[in-house]
Amino acid sequence: MTVWSDEAGATPIEFALAVGFLLIPMAVLVMSIAPWVERQSIARVAAGEAARVLVLSSGTTPDHDSAQQIVWQIAQNHGVHAEDVSVFFCAPDDGSDVKRELSRCPSLTRGDLVAVEVEVRVPAATILGVGTFGEASVSARVTEQVELFRSFAP
């Protein structure tokens, strides 16, 4: 058995490498997850509220403007700019973006299904003190039914 008397420790180098290659990327990942979850929650709540506004519109004409205002208000309350939010009313699930942009709910009748999809842009990565990088989007779709025994009297 050989004993080395002049061995120097490598712990400071290993520690610096561990912090640089493991801890910093892990911290960036953890900080990037929170905005994704928050924006998904905003999309879900906004879509639900907008669908409810459409279903409860007075008369047989859906109130798209009020529903859009509700979505923008929810986004603003969470610090999201209106240009980062897109709202699609009664759009087909697999429709192209052009079809989605032009979609509007037809007149309301008892038992109709009203679908609202809200898409919110979210930064791909967030680094504290540096900023955000990249962009993606999360969306939520909520469908509500017009009550079967609803009165449409003015």
Side-chain angles (χ1 to χ4, degrees), residues 73-151:
Q73 184 64 46
I74 290 171
Q76 182 183 8
N77 289 345
H78 288 87
V80 178
H81 298 288
E83 61 267 8
D84 291 338
V85 179
S86 301
V87 185
F88 309 105
F89 301 106
C90 298
D93 283 336
D94 57 349
S96 68
D97 288 339
V98 174
K99 281 185 183 176
R100 290 173 59 193
E101 289 290 340
L102 299 175
S103 66
R104 290 284 190 211
C105 295
S107 63
L108 299 174
T109 57
R110 293 180 187 100
D112 277 352
L113 294 177
V114 175
V116 176
E117 184 176 348
V118 174
E119 190 173 276
V120 183
R121 283 189 281 178
V122 61
T126 304
I127 299 178
L128 193 63
V130 177
T132 60
F133 301 97
E135 183 178 288
S137 65
V138 294
S139 64
R141 185 178 180 92
V142 174
T143 303
E144 288 246 2
Q145 182 179 22
V146 178
E147 285 93 8
L148 294 172
F149 301 103
R150 178 180 171 189
S151 171

